[in-house]
Amino acid sequence: MISGANMKSYWVLVHQFEIALKDDEIPFGTAEQLGLAGFAKLQVGTYQNSPVFLVQLDEQAVENLQNFTMVNLRTQIARPAEFAHLLHRVVSLNHFLNTHKFCGKCGAHTELANNEIAVHCPNCQHRSYPTISPSIIVAVRRGRQILLANHLRHKGTIYTTLAGFAEAGEAIETTVQREVWEESGLKIKNIRYFGSQPWAFPNSLMLGFLADYESGEITLQEEEIFDAKWFDCDQPLPELPPEGTIALELIKETLKICREER
């Protein structure tokens, strides 16, 4: 998986949730040209018909890095989808490799598999693959109104849609109903799929849905939600999630449906 490392390639240098950019882009060239010949590297795919290599950085490497700017993944969410998804992939794989250095079955040191992106235990032969955690995010409509919530992590600022992780043995439609009920006390109907977005904080895949209000009064899950309200589509809205997020796309689509309501 490191063949082609001497070809001109794209290099994604990652430390936790930060990425090294050169002139606001991921660097392109050979390892020698970019001063990366001494770094361990792993080919993780292609971008614009060229190989992409993950380079894992520790704190010392970040301090010694020259001619690069470290940026947080969140600042890149509004970039074109192919580019943003590539960054999410590499950050998520970096987290996977950093958290699977030992076998979860016998505790021995793992090794990179030689034929796929996975870690292999030479002691017990157990193999682990990159973790993907499915989660839902849903916009709820009631006539010409949209339900928006202010989560505790955004207390007093951003209002957004409801979201949460799927549980073991749970159909994703059940996750949508459960999360809305737990966080707002509302029952919903007419659940339909909207789209998805990788979310490497550290390994989520968000599945977006639209839904309609069925019954109930707003009752907050106070350990997670600071406030939740119905907002009329023709009235001023609170601060919304940033561009590039599926949350904002869900809100925009719901407001469009609201305005078409007679």
Side-chain angles (χ1 to χ4, degrees):
M1 286 190 291
I2 61 172
S3 61
N6 293 321
M7 298 170 49
K8 282 193 172 182
S9 306
Y10 287 97
W11 303 83
V12 189
L13 289 68
V14 182
H15 175 61
Q16 297 180 359
F17 298 114
E18 293 197 328
I19 302 142
L21 298 184
K22 190 178 183 67
D23 299 323
D24 205 35
E25 298 291 341
I26 53 175
F28 179 75
T30 67
E32 289 75 14
Q33 289 172 338
L34 297 169
L36 302 174
F39 288 82
K41 55 191 76 71
L42 172 68
Q43 186 172 350
V44 295
T46 61
Y47 176 64
Q48 298 184 350
N49 299 316
S50 295
V52 175
F53 287 91
L54 161 62
V55 176
Q56 296 185 277
L57 302 178
D58 57 23
E59 291 185 5
Q60 187 62 51
V62 172
E63 291 180 5
N64 294 336
L65 207 59
Q66 297 181 355
N67 303 317
F68 292 91
T69 301
M70 299 300 295
V71 299
N72 191 280
L73 177 60
R74 289 183 182 274
T75 66
Q76 305 301 303
I77 288 172
R79 301 286 285 262
E82 183 184 9
F83 183 83
H85 291 176
L86 172 65
L87 297 187
H88 279 280
R89 172 175 171 77
V90 178
V91 169
S92 184
L93 288 175
N94 179 66
H95 177 79
F96 165 71
L97 295 173
N98 283 335
T99 56
H100 287 76
K101 296 179 179 180
F102 297 91
C103 177
K105 185 175 180 181
C106 73
H109 280 277
T110 58
E111 300 174 349
L112 278 173
N114 60 12
N115 60 346
E116 59 184 344
I117 297 179
V119 293
H120 177 77
C121 177
N123 182 57
C124 72
Q125 310 308 310
H126 179 68
R127 184 164 290 204
S128 296
Y129 293 88
T131 303
I132 302 174
S133 301
S135 61
I136 65 90
I137 182 165
V138 54
V140 180
R141 179 182 71 92
R142 184 178 70 176
R144 291 174 58 83
Q145 295 180 315
I146 182 172
L147 177 69
L148 295 174
N150 180 221
H151 294 73
L152 286 178
R153 64 183 179 276
H154 297 139
K155 185 175 179 180
T157 57
I158 293 173
Y159 276 71
T160 186
T161 51
L162 300 180
F165 285 96
E167 295 184 352
E170 185 175 58
I172 205 70
E173 296 83 1
T174 302
T175 305
V176 176
Q177 295 172 319
R178 176 181 56 77
E179 285 292 342
V180 172
W181 170 256
E182 288 178 354
E183 295 187 353
S184 71
L186 302 178
K187 291 186 177 181
I188 56 174
K189 60 183 180 180
N190 193 23
I191 299 169
R192 60 260 191 218
Y193 178 73
F194 175 79
S196 64
Q197 182 176 40
W199 196 252
F201 298 103
N203 49 30
S204 299
L205 174 62
M206 292 196 294
L207 306 174
F209 293 85
L210 302 170
D212 295 332
Y213 167 83
E214 182 175 295
S215 63
E217 298 294 331
I218 294 175
T219 304
L220 302 180
Q221 186 181 30
E222 295 183 353
E223 61 268 29
E224 292 191 24
I225 307 296
F226 177 69
D227 186 32
K229 297 176 182 176
W230 293 106
F231 289 88
D232 191 277
C233 64
D234 294 326
Q235 297 299 317
L237 296 172
E239 181 181 353
L240 298 177
E243 290 288 344
T245 61
I246 192 172
L248 184 60
E249 294 305 310
L250 284 165
I251 292 169
K252 288 179 177 179
E253 180 64 19
T254 301
L255 291 172
K256 177 184 175 183
I257 297 171
C258 286
R259 290 172 182 135
E260 295 170 349
E261 179 80 7
R262 295 291 182 265

